[in-house]
Amino acid sequence: MAFDSAKIEEFSDIWVFCEQRDGKIMSTDIELISEGRKLANERGSKLVGLLLGGKGIESEAKELAGYGADKIIVVEDEKLAVYTTDAYTKVICDVIMDKKPEVFLVGASNIGRDLGPRVAARLHTGLCADCTHLDIDMKPYTDFLREASTIDVDSVKFDMEDTNMKMTRPAFGGHLMATIICPRFRPCMATVRPGVLKKAPYDAAKADAVEIEKVSAVLSDSDLRTKVLEVVKESRKMVDLIGAEVIVSVGNGISKDPQKAIKLAEELAEALGGGVVGASRAVTDAGWLTSDHQVGQTGKTVRPKIYVALGISGAIQHKAGMQDSELIIAVNTNADAPIFEVADYGIVGDLFEIVPLMIEDVKKTKEAN
């Protein structure tokens, strides 16, 4: 049957592109599989993971299934061991044209942001980039609007039978949230920002019950315009905000002595249990910390056990990136700072005076225990 992205009645099932690096799946894959399970349940369809890689990549399939996938399609080929745009785009489009999924989700990593638009263009469908929330059924979507927007949901007449995927993403630099639908073409495609979706608990029974389908790649030399000769990893160590359990972030309030404040933040993060230092956009824009430290809608979305905000006023873009943290502690000289709206504990004062006291108190408590 010929592929026509406009014949939406021919498409079914929720698919997730499962990115791998060095033969290991990424944490974003688990987030997407977990979210895909929710969407598949809403749609009453199967959840399928698409895993590409070199020899032996099939061994990673069961772990993905443990988070909710009904089926994993595995494409093993040495030309797929390392990501290249040409090879991955060709293979993925071939499989999608054959199987016709209704939804195709991709993580908004460096690879995903390169891959997603190329696949969408070749399939003649739409793509919503950098999504932070997804829904299919209208009921959970309107519940989301009640909680996360200023819309008077009860006064708006929604089509409650609409089963297009609702893809919500920040717009205008994070000042607005926009929901996009793709009603005329399939698959509906979205790249999803890492760290924004919750991981489901691992289920060993689901892993054992998964269906694994192996598909052969059809790749000729003419399909590949580039060849990876060597992989050189960046020597600079990047901060892992998404995986951190403790984050101490600094904001524009450190401006009178940025280096001293950052050192205090590092000491507090270490005292609280080997944490890392984050930052608001103002700090990275000023060059006081590199962009991999940035928390917020234009940075990374995080959910640590402890989040400490030092000198951060709490603009909506920053709060959106950290407000789901388990415990939030804020220090700010302005008692009316918006950060206190989401903080579990708030301290009004100068961080240069407060933080040394916090470090001392944490160390004493540890010693006493």
Side-chain angles (χ1 to χ4, degrees):
M1 190 182 296
F3 180 85
D4 185 344
S5 61
K7 292 182 178 179
I8 63 175
E9 69 280 358
E10 296 178 358
F11 293 74
S12 63
D13 296 339
I14 311 297
W15 279 28
V16 170
F17 169 64
C18 301
E19 180 182 333
Q20 59 83 20
R21 299 191 189 186
D22 297 327
K24 299 295 180 183
I25 61 171
M26 310 294 290
S27 62
T28 312
D29 300 340
I30 297 171
E31 295 171 14
L32 289 177
I33 289 288
S34 301
E35 182 70 9
R37 180 71 267 159
K38 183 199 82 171
L39 298 176
N41 290 344
E42 289 182 18
R43 196 72 179 101
S45 61
K46 280 187 176 181
L47 173 62
V48 179
L50 178 57
L51 179 61
L52 279 60
K55 187 176 180 181
I57 195 61
E58 183 182 348
S59 62
E60 297 294 305
K62 275 199 172 186
E63 182 175 356
L64 293 167
Y67 293 95
D70 299 303
K71 179 179 179 179
I72 305 292
I73 296 175
V74 178
V75 188
E76 277 189 355
D77 192 295
E78 282 310 299
K79 294 187 182 75
L80 302 173
V82 178
Y83 174 79
T84 61
T85 303
D86 292 336
Y88 271 59
T89 300
K90 169 72 165 56
V91 171
I92 288 172
C93 287
D94 285 349
V95 179
I96 288 178
M97 287 178 177
D98 180 47
K99 307 286 186 182
K100 297 182 180 177
E102 181 178 13
V103 169
F104 188 52
L105 304 179
V106 180
S109 62
N110 292 338
I111 286 176
R113 287 173 173 170
D114 174 68
L115 179 68
R118 296 171 190 272
V119 171
R122 193 170 294 190
L123 296 176
H124 302 288
T125 189
L127 168 73
C128 185
D130 271 356
C131 295
T132 56
H133 186 86
L134 302 170
D135 280 305
I136 289 182
D137 283 354
M138 285 301 298
K139 176 63 169 61
Y141 176 63
T142 53
D143 289 344
F144 162 70
L145 290 180
R146 282 191 178 90
E147 181 181 327
S149 78
T150 56
I151 296 172
D152 183 0
V153 174
D154 296 324
S155 67
V156 179
K157 188 174 181 180
F158 291 98
D159 177 7
M160 299 304 289
E161 302 303 315
D162 181 3
T163 56
N164 289 294
M165 185 164 69
K166 291 84 180 165
M167 301 170 279
T168 303
R169 56 150 295 156
F172 293 100
H175 292 280
L176 294 175
M177 299 297 286
T179 298
I180 314 297
I181 63 171
C182 182
R184 295 187 295 121
F185 302 98
R186 294 292 183 270
C188 298
M189 285 187 59
T191 59
V192 183
R193 190 171 294 179
V196 302
L197 304 176
K198 293 182 179 179
K199 297 177 183 178
Y202 183 81
D203 187 331
K206 286 181 180 177
D208 292 335
V210 69
E211 175 188 355
I212 296 177
E213 179 182 352
K214 297 194 74 172
V215 174
S216 298
V218 180
L219 287 169
S220 64
D221 290 340
S222 62
D223 294 323
L224 309 177
R225 291 172 293 180
T226 59
K227 183 178 180 181
V228 177
L229 300 178
E230 182 184 8
V231 177
V232 179
K233 295 185 178 181
E234 186 177 22
S235 59
R236 182 173 69 87
K237 187 176 180 181
M238 305 286 280
V239 63
D240 180 16
L241 288 174
I242 293 175
E245 293 191 346
V246 176
I247 298 175
V248 178
S249 284
V250 292
N252 204 39
I254 70 170
S255 58
K256 70 179 182 181
D257 194 341
Q259 294 311 310
K260 181 180 179 181
I262 291 169
K263 189 173 185 303
L264 286 172
E266 290 171 345
E267 290 177 9
L268 179 58
E270 182 61 33
L272 288 169
V276 298
V277 175
S280 68
R281 182 170 179 172
V283 170
T284 58
D285 283 351
W288 297 328
L289 285 170
T290 53
S291 60
D292 53 313
H293 290 266
Q294 187 177 325
V295 174
Q297 282 182 341
T298 50
K300 294 184 177 72
T301 301
V302 297
R303 288 190 177 91
K305 290 183 177 179
I306 301 174
Y307 188 89
V308 183
L310 304 177
I312 295 174
S313 63
I316 188 171
Q317 298 96 318
H318 187 83
K319 288 195 294 183
M322 46 66 72
Q323 61 189 358
D324 290 331
S325 305
E326 291 185 26
L327 177 68
I328 299 172
I329 303 168
V331 179
N332 203 290
T333 55
N334 180 9
D336 297 319
I339 193 68
F340 290 127
E341 296 171 5
V342 296
D344 297 289
Y345 298 97
I347 303 171
V348 178
D350 187 336
L351 69 90
F352 291 95
E353 298 174 3
I354 300 297
V355 175
L357 298 176
M358 294 174 70
I359 294 169
E360 184 182 352
D361 193 57
V362 169
K363 287 181 177 178
K364 282 183 179 178
T365 302
K366 281 187 171 182
E367 288 172 4
N369 292 333

